[in-house]
Amino acid sequence: TTITAADIDGVKSTDNVEVTIKSGEYENVNAEIAGNKVDITAYELSGTDAKNYYISDASINQMDGFISKKPITLAWAEDSYEYDGTEKSVTATPSGVISTEDASAVVTINYVDDSETSHTATNAGNYTAKATVTSANYELKASEPTATFDWEITKKVIENNL
């Protein structure tokens, strides 16, 4: 992150000064926390007028930061089953989740059948699954067409040898 002179208290707005944040740690690592303080551990002061300034350690560590939600996409699996009397379900695997986090905890799937919501379906019919991002740190990418997925359990064909 680079901060220009216009955004730095105490720097003349006409001076050419930039502060580039090289590394730092947030007080809270979750997204969209208002007033989230950042402990800056490395920075660089640059620009043609930088020689006229220095940054006190106390002021650099009082910065507010903001973490945006990470956009993810979904890959839906298995959209058609043949009826066999057992419960069926579809899954949505999120892509773009940070590798140290459990991807299965980021998205919850519900199955919507008219006004009824359940987690599985057994009978032949058409169903709609809806994915909900349950982690406050993620959101579906704007380019993601939809969080819903149509799937079906087809009727089993009976061979009649009469």
Side-chain angles (χ1 to χ4, degrees):
T1 300
T2 300
I3 305 166
T4 60
D7 296 319
I8 304 171
D9 287 341
V11 174
K12 287 177 44 182
S13 62
T14 57
D15 279 357
N16 180 351
V17 177
E18 291 183 347
V19 177
T20 301
I21 307 301
K22 299 291 187 174
S23 64
E25 257 182 60
Y26 283 91
E27 279 182 349
N28 188 316
V29 297
N30 292 311
E32 299 192 345
I33 303 295
N36 199 357
K37 297 292 183 200
V38 182
D39 181 18
I40 305 301
T41 55
Y43 58 89
E44 180 180 279
L45 195 59
S46 61
T48 55
D49 297 308
K51 63 186 176 289
N52 297 317
Y53 298 93
Y54 78 95
I55 299 174
S56 73
D57 288 340
S59 67
I60 195 80
N61 288 325
Q62 297 302 314
M63 294 182 65
D64 283 345
F66 188 80
I67 301 172
S68 298
K69 290 184 177 189
K70 186 170 186 340
I72 59 172
T73 59
L74 298 175
W76 291 93
E78 198 65 52
D79 65 352
S80 184
Y81 298 95
E82 183 179 79
Y83 173 78
D84 65 5
T86 62
E87 290 184 335
K88 304 294 181 202
S89 63
V90 292
T91 59
T93 304
S95 178
V97 176
I98 295 171
S99 63
T100 57
E101 295 190 21
D102 179 7
S104 66
V106 171
V107 175
T108 299
I109 308 297
N110 289 314
Y111 305 100
V112 182
D113 178 16
D114 296 326
S115 63
E116 188 177 320
T117 301
S118 64
H119 294 286
T120 60
T122 304
N123 295 322
N126 294 311
Y127 300 92
T128 300
K130 180 179 181 183
T132 304
V133 179
T134 52
S135 171
N137 294 321
Y138 296 93
E139 64 187 359
L140 289 179
K141 274 188 178 179
S143 61
E144 187 73 12
T146 182
T148 60
F149 181 72
D150 294 327
W151 63 288
E152 67 180 343
I153 300 175
T154 60
K155 293 179 180 182
K156 183 170 182 64
V157 175
I158 299 172
E159 300 288 332
N160 188 350
N161 293 328
L162 298 176

